[in-house]
């Protein structure tokens, strides 16, 4: 059996088991990683490379930084400040989505989510609303906000690099022509109707040992610990914002902050280790192995070529736009947004050259479609980060995110031909 077919079988297995959830998602993901190794699709070093992936290291460090922010009571204080202005649950959802969306455009969607997750958990504790009602809007807004600037998401830079090779480029805020309307309409959608699809389970996570699930009397926390927790968080955020200028990668900055907090005793070594959600880590590592298998085996290119090949040599630009958006959106929810964009960008460039279309327009459609990772916990790193903290099920993402994918595709179908026509 060819490696393409083996990979497609594991992809189908993952989709079915993720939706069925008879075994934990992390276990399913690791079964896929082991399976791809045993069948020879991936080398062991490729299948388990996720354990040293920058995003996984970022998760681990930001779990610790976030736990310290939460453990010292500062997350609850920030939550109390926000609840003075946003009284109802829907007002809180809108406030969280606006703040997250705008920050994502400048900080990166993953970095923003990592920073704001403990704040939003504190907000949920202070307001009395279930954290499940706030964490999903947080990560969905982070994904949408990634399309506000060139640095908002890795996929944006992948497309920029491909364009640079042919003497073209996108402006720093050019993605915002489509990204801002999608973010605004996404926020309006959740405030008026989409909130009905958010899970409303109280915070009775089975992981009662987690720092984020403990009830603590914060009045006894020394003032210096609270100040240092805030200072480290702020400096970590600044280091992320100025990543290129200082030449330090996101996960390195995050680990520097985490280690300072543990070394100074702001958070104990025990609580720091407790705060790292291994379900999230294993789920992401296994998902990266699946993405690598889809890429290495040629299964992804096989799917893309077959779908686009059915359109013929002279397709309607609107049909082609719809196919690119839909294909990107489907693949990104099971392969990760970065991997999907990396796979489809060269294919999209070939299509543009083959039919004489503007490569900027075709790549913009590819990037926008690849950013619609709203419907699964593995579509983007932020989705995975909140999976364990919120006690979510796979179907929670589908119910809340799938309608938003459809709404976003409709918005993109209207705006892309106006701002980025194919011809």
């Amino acid at each position: 059996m060819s490696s393409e077919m083996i990979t497609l079988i594991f992809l189908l297995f993952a989709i079915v088991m993720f939706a069925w959830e008879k075994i934990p998602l992390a276990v399913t993901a690791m079964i896929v990683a082991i399976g791809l190794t045993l069948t020879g699709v991936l080398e062991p070093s490729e299948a388990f490379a996720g354990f040293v992936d920058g995003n996984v290291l970022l998760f681990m460090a930001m779990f610790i930084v976030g736990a310290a922010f939460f453990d010292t009571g500062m997350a609850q204080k920030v939550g109390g400040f926000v609840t003075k202005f946003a009284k109802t649950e829907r007002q809180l959802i809108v406030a969280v989505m606006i703040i997250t969306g705008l920050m994502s455009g400048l900080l990166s969607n993953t970095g923003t989510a990592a920073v704001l997750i403990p704040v939003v958990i504190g907000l949920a504790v202070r307001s009395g609303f279930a954290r499940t009602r706030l964490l999903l809007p947080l990560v969905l807004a982070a994904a949408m906000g990634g399309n506000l600037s060139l640095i908002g998401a890795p996929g944006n830079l992948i497309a920029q690099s491909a364009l640079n090779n042919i003497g073209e480029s996108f402006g720093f805020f050019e993605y915002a022509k489509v990204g801002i309307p999608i973010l605004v309409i996404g926020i309006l959608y959740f405030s008026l109707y989409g909130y009905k699809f958010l899970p409303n389970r109280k915070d009775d996570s089975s992981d009662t040992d987690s720092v984020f699930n403990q009830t603590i009397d914060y009045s006894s926390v020394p003032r210096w610990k609270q100040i240092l927790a805030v200072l480290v968080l702020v400096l970590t955020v600044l280091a992320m914002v100025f990543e290129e200028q200082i030449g330090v990668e996101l996960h390195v900055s995050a680990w520097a902050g985490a280690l300072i907090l543990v070394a100074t005793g702001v958070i104990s070594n025990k609580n720091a280790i407790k705060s790292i959600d291994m379900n999230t880590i294993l789920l992401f590592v296994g998902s990266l192995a699946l993405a690598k298998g889809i890429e290495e085996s040629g299964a992804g290119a096989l799917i893309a070529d077959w779908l686009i090949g059915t359109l013929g040599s002279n397709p309607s630009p609107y049909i082609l736009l719809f196919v690119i958006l839909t294909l990107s959106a489907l693949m990104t929810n099971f392969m990760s947004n970065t991997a999907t964009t990396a796979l489809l960008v060269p294919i999209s460039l070939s299509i543009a050259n083959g039919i004489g279309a503007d490569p900027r327009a075709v790549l913009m459609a590819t990037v926008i479609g690849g950013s619609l990772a709203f419907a699964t916990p593995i579509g983007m790193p932020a989705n995975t980060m909140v999976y364990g903290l919120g006690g979510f099920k796979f179907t929670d993402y589908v119910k809340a995110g799938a309608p938003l994918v459809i709404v976003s595709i409709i918005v993109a179908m209207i705006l892309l031909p106006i701002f980025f026509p194919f011809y």
Side-chain angles (χ1 to χ4, degrees), residues 150 155-170 175 345 349 363:
L150 194 60
N156 303 6
L157 292 171
I158 291 171
Q160 179 79 339
S161 177
L163 280 177
N164 289 341
N165 291 335
I166 58 171
E168 303 249 14
S169 66
F170 288 125
Y175 287 99
V345 158
L349 271 181
L363 287 191

Side-chain angles (χ1 to χ4, degrees), residues 14-28:
I15 293 171
V16 171
M17 295 306 292
F18 281 165
W20 196 22
E21 284 198 270
K22 281 295 181 184
I23 58 177
L25 266 63
V27 176
T28 295

Side-chain angles (χ1 to χ4, degrees), residues 61-139:
M62 289 310 296
F63 276 136
I64 296 171
V65 174
F69 195 63
F70 192 87
D71 208 18
T72 56
M74 294 311 295
Q76 289 75 0
K77 284 190 176 182
V78 173
F81 177 75
V82 175
T83 53
K84 288 180 181 178
F85 302 96
K87 301 293 185 183
T88 67
E89 183 184 70
R90 274 198 271 179
Q91 287 175 347
L92 284 173
I93 289 172
V94 170
V96 166
M97 294 188 79
I98 290 173
I99 293 168
T100 306
L102 294 177
M103 283 182 62
S104 289
L106 298 175
L107 177 61
S108 90
N109 47 22
T110 302
T112 297
V115 168
L116 290 182
I117 283 169
V119 176
V120 170
I121 292 176
L123 189 59
V125 171
R126 189 63 182 258
S127 65
F129 299 119
R131 68 175 68 165
T132 55
R133 305 283 288 178
L134 299 177
L135 285 175
L136 272 185
L138 164 72
V139 295

Side-chain angles (χ1 to χ4, degrees), residues 1-16:
M1 189 181 294
S2 68
S3 58
E4 292 100 323
M5 286 305 301
I6 292 171
T7 305
L8 289 173
I9 289 170
F10 275 112
L11 174 62
L12 181 62
F13 167 78
I15 293 171
V16 171

Side-chain angles (χ1 to χ4, degrees), residues 57-76 111 113-119 211-212 225-226 228-238 240 250-262 266-268 271-276 385 389:
L57 293 171
L58 176 65
F59 290 172
M60 296 173 73
M62 289 310 296
F63 276 136
I64 296 171
V65 174
F69 195 63
F70 192 87
D71 208 18
T72 56
M74 294 311 295
Q76 289 75 0
V115 168
L116 290 182
I117 283 169
V119 176
V211 172
F212 295 103
K225 284 190 175 184
Q226 296 181 327
L228 193 53
V230 173
L231 184 62
V232 168
L233 180 61
V234 170
L235 290 176
T236 302
V237 171
L238 288 174
M240 290 178 175
L250 297 182
H251 64 276
V252 177
S253 297
W255 268 106
L259 292 172
I260 288 170
L261 292 168
V262 176
V266 173
I267 183 171
S268 67
N271 278 350
I273 292 172
K274 273 187 192 177
S275 71
I276 299 172
M385 287 185 78
L389 294 176

Side-chain angles (χ1 to χ4, degrees), residues 242-284:
F242 297 106
E243 177 188 10
E244 287 191 17
Q245 289 85 344
I246 64 176
V248 180
E249 294 184 52
L250 297 182
H251 64 276
V252 177
S253 297
W255 268 106
L259 292 172
I260 288 170
L261 292 168
V262 176
T264 55
V266 173
I267 183 171
S268 67
N269 181 58
K270 182 180 179 182
N271 278 350
I273 292 172
K274 273 187 192 177
S275 71
I276 299 172
D277 184 355
M278 283 308 298
N279 279 317
T280 296
I281 303 301
L282 293 175
L283 173 58
F284 198 71

